[in-house]
Amino acid sequence: MATLEHEAALPRRSAPRKPLAPLATLVARRFQLSVRTPRELFVPLLTPILFALIIAPALKRALHTSDSYEAFVATGTIGLLIPLNTMFGGIGAIVDRESGAQRELLAAPIRRSLLVFGNLAVAFAITALQLGVLIAAAVARGIHFNASATGVVWFVAGAALFTVGMYGVAETLASAVPRTEEYIARLPAIAIVPWFLAGSLFPISALPVVLTWIAKILPLTHGLALVRYGLLGDASGLHNIWSMDSPTAMAALSLAVLAAFAAALTAISIRAFGRSVVK
């Protein structure tokens, strides 16, 4: 009897929980689904490569500008590639909800945040691959980048945070609309229209005053300014936003804006994920 009481008093050892263990499985699943649909890999690349390899050199000759403008336009296409790619990733989330296993995943003992992070990891990896292809194609075309080691860090940090934030937008929209057709109809307004206002083809200072102030608020404007500061050593985009003398301070401020954008949209997308399935 004393032995039984002693054993009952001992704390029970439970198997150590690994809350992140399902993440690798979720990432592998989403990656397999993305490979089956090559549009997520190749379609977002078509327009940026067209701009970088054909339109940028054509604009340089037509406007009689220097090689720096060619690099300006080529880097601006990064601001088109990231939104297009992440928004295409949102289509995969809708398809998964309509004909996939999203309902079963929501019923499984898995944190909802891991479902979003699994999708995000694949979208992030595909975007990184596409950015590498785009930059390599631009270099092969003869476009010159002037990136230092510190500049590469600014570029990677800015592009990464903007990618995370835009995928949060994609997941949130995918949870809000009932059908793929409605999602695609809203895609141009989210992924393309801001690109024309964010200093992609010309500095935002060339816009009317009201549009200039709107451009300063757009996360894409901060992302492109960081991309050009990192890859070209050009701080003019940052100066058009902040009007400060220190490039490092301006870059840090824009990075903080992108960090807030990424954190806020990721949190919103986690709360919204699967909402239409639950309803």
Side-chain angles (χ1 to χ4, degrees), residues 27-263:
V27 170
R29 173 183 175 275
R30 172 53 59 186
F31 181 75
Q32 290 176 353
L33 293 174
S34 299
V35 171
R36 290 182 194 173
T37 54
R39 70 170 184 272
E40 294 187 22
L41 293 174
F42 300 112
V43 172
L45 267 173
L46 296 179
T47 300
I49 285 182
L50 177 67
F51 268 92
L53 302 187
I54 299 176
I55 296 179
L59 285 173
K60 176 187 134 181
R61 287 194 296 269
L63 300 177
H64 305 288
T65 57
S66 63
D67 292 340
S68 61
Y69 183 71
E70 189 176 13
F72 183 90
V73 174
T75 50
T77 60
I78 293 174
L80 185 61
L81 174 61
I82 293 176
L84 283 176
N85 183 66
T86 50
M87 295 304 290
F88 269 104
I91 295 177
I94 295 179
V95 173
D96 201 19
R97 183 186 70 208
E98 294 177 345
S99 57
Q102 188 178 109
R103 186 180 297 275
E104 289 76 11
L105 289 173
L106 287 170
I110 303 173
R111 293 183 181 179
R112 182 171 296 189
S113 59
L114 293 183
L115 301 176
V116 175
F117 289 146
N119 295 342
L120 169 61
V122 175
F124 190 91
I126 292 175
T127 301
L129 173 63
Q130 292 173 332
L131 284 177
V133 171
L134 177 62
I135 293 174
V139 171
R141 179 63 177 79
I143 296 175
H144 178 66
F145 297 107
N146 184 28
S148 63
T150 305
V152 170
V153 173
W154 285 115
F155 161 67
V156 171
L161 288 173
F162 184 63
T163 300
V164 172
M166 283 306 304
Y167 190 75
V169 173
E171 280 281 5
T172 302
L173 183 61
S175 298
V177 299
R179 294 188 301 273
T180 306
E181 292 79 6
E182 293 185 27
Y183 182 93
I184 295 176
R186 301 181 190 186
L187 192 150
I190 296 174
I192 299 176
V193 171
W195 186 71
F196 289 101
L197 300 176
S200 304
L201 302 176
F202 46 80
I204 62 173
S205 57
L207 292 168
V209 176
V210 175
L211 292 180
T212 298
W213 281 104
I214 293 175
K216 290 181 179 182
I217 301 172
L218 295 175
L220 178 55
T221 306
H222 296 269
L224 283 179
L226 279 172
V227 164
R228 291 191 174 116
Y229 179 58
L231 292 182
L232 305 178
D234 180 9
S236 61
L238 293 169
H239 187 268
N240 288 334
I241 299 172
W242 301 108
S243 301
M244 297 170 61
D245 295 328
S246 172
T248 302
M250 292 187 294
L253 287 172
S254 287
L255 196 65
V257 170
L258 292 178
F261 170 65

